[in-house]
Amino acid sequence: MVIRKGYFDFDNIPRFSCPCCGTGQLRFEKDTLISRLPAWIRKFPEYSDNFNEHGEKDVDQTDIFENYKGEVIASFFLQCDHVFCKEAVVVSGLLKNELETEYDVSDGSIWENDVKNFYPTSFCPTVQLFKIPKKTPEKVKTELIYSFSLYWISPPACGNAIRVAVERLMDEKEIPTVKTSEKGKETPLTLHQRIEKFGEDFEELSGLLLAIKWIGNDASHTSDLYQSDVVLAYEFFERCLVELYEESKIKRLKNSAHEINTEKKPISKIRKA
Ligand SMILES: [Zn+2]
């Protein structure tokens, strides 16, 4: 997973993979950052020398930022660092001035750091939060990418979308959607039942998919599902896709060795021919 929270340190932007080429990494283009104060801060004066009858100074914008409550509405571009791609991704969201506490276990000391956290609301085009194996069926991939776009703004909606991706995975694995009784009567199978059926061939993976289903179920009923729950669902999903669709390293090496031995020359020469 590229990220485990719904925000990141603006001075250490995670290395998202390029959504276009999948090879390059996205780099922050500093000169594209634009920002404006939200209305709730703009209504305060920049500086204030006014005091009320109790001797209290009117709140000004400097006070807000000095008390780590300052924020700006911001957008900026990331660009793929692959020389033949250079895809641009526009990001928008809230850049917040916050105070984070660090605890040093060795000597019990507590540090307070002034950090700038960025809370994204959108990436266009959508960035992948984990690497989807190349051979993953298109329908599963499409649902997962849709879920990545929801991750930032609504973990419950994201949880639901991941659940739909599991349904598409069951379709791809040709797990039936109905069961037929001896009398020929058809009754629909729930996702739970479909995953259990899938588990007849992939027992270990079905446990991971059932866990995703429970997270997705909860997402349908509550509005307080968190990014940390979704991150776990993604980790389960990634593991399943790697098992099902990613060629193992040893298999890949064996294939390359076989190709070289058959053609009796290096891969670069075989590809050129
Ligand atoms: Zn790229």
Side-chain angles (χ1 to χ4, degrees):
M1 284 290 294
V2 191
I3 192 162
R4 308 191 71 83
K5 301 171 184 168
Y7 62 91
F8 50 79
D9 177 353
F10 197 61
D11 293 323
N12 287 294
I13 297 179
R15 299 279 175 85
F16 293 103
S17 291
C18 171
C20 178
C21 67
T23 315
Q25 286 191 332
L26 300 177
R27 308 277 174 182
F28 175 41
E29 292 204 296
K30 277 186 184 155
D31 58 353
T32 63
L33 177 67
I34 51 169
S35 64
R36 287 197 185 174
L37 289 174
W40 76 266
I41 295 181
R42 246 192 2 253
K43 72 183 180 186
F44 294 104
E46 281 186 45
Y47 300 101
S48 169
D49 289 325
N50 296 331
F51 291 81
N52 63 19
E53 69 266 29
H54 307 294
E56 295 160 339
K57 188 172 88 68
D58 281 352
V59 176
D60 60 36
Q61 290 178 14
T62 311
D63 297 327
I64 291 166
F65 279 91
E66 283 189 351
N67 286 301
Y68 307 101
K69 288 176 183 163
E71 61 185 33
V72 292
I73 300 161
S75 76
F76 54 90
F77 276 96
L78 301 173
Q79 193 184 59
C80 174
D81 62 4
H82 193 291
V83 69
F84 297 118
C85 178
K86 303 267 179 197
E87 174 70 304
V89 173
V90 66
V91 191
S92 56
L94 272 183
L95 183 56
K96 294 188 181 185
N97 199 34
E98 294 181 317
L99 196 62
E100 278 185 359
T101 309
E102 265 183 55
Y103 180 67
D104 190 337
V105 208
S106 60
D107 62 2
S109 58
I110 293 173
W111 298 83
E112 286 194 324
N113 298 320
D114 176 16
V115 287
K116 280 189 164 60
N117 286 326
F118 189 75
Y119 292 75
T121 50
S122 84
F123 284 75
C124 182
T126 303
V127 289
Q128 296 190 8
L129 301 181
F130 69 84
K131 198 170 189 298
I132 302 175
K134 273 188 187 152
K135 291 182 180 169
T136 301
E138 210 50 44
K139 285 182 182 171
V140 178
K141 196 175 168 184
T142 303
E143 291 298 340
L144 275 175
I145 290 177
Y146 175 58
S147 78
F148 293 150
S149 67
L150 296 169
Y151 175 82
W152 309 105
I153 47 169
S154 171
C158 179
N160 266 319
I162 300 172
R163 192 183 189 281
V164 174
V166 176
E167 291 270 13
R168 296 294 79 80
L169 182 62
M170 294 300 95
D171 296 346
E172 292 295 330
K173 287 290 164 192
E174 297 181 338
I175 307 296
T177 53
V178 292
K179 72 173 172 197
T180 313
S181 71
E182 284 175 7
K183 290 179 181 172
K185 193 187 169 202
E186 287 189 341
T187 40
L189 287 176
T190 62
L191 177 59
H192 192 107
Q193 290 167 321
R194 294 184 81 196
I195 297 171
E196 281 179 338
K197 228 171 173 39
F198 168 81
E200 290 168 11
D201 292 324
F202 301 95
E203 193 187 345
E204 205 180 308
L205 300 187
S206 70
L208 300 178
L209 292 177
L210 280 175
I212 299 176
K213 191 221 69 172
W214 288 119
I215 294 170
N217 278 14
D218 199 63
S220 309
H221 304 126
T222 63
S223 58
D224 61 352
L225 194 75
Y226 297 103
Q227 263 105 356
S228 55
D229 298 309
V230 173
V231 164
L232 206 49
Y234 277 142
E235 285 180 325
F236 295 149
F237 216 130
E238 184 179 20
R239 187 69 236 146
C240 289
L241 294 180
V242 166
E243 287 288 331
L244 295 170
Y245 299 110
E246 194 164 277
E247 203 176 30
S248 72
K249 192 175 178 186
I250 185 67
K251 196 174 165 193
R252 184 166 51 79
L253 291 176
K254 276 182 180 171
N255 286 342
S256 298
H258 178 73
E259 202 175 349
I260 293 167
N261 292 337
T262 310
E263 299 287 333
K264 298 185 173 50
K265 52 187 169 187
I267 291 285
S268 58
K269 300 274 166 38
I270 298 171
R271 298 279 182 270
K272 257 186 196 169

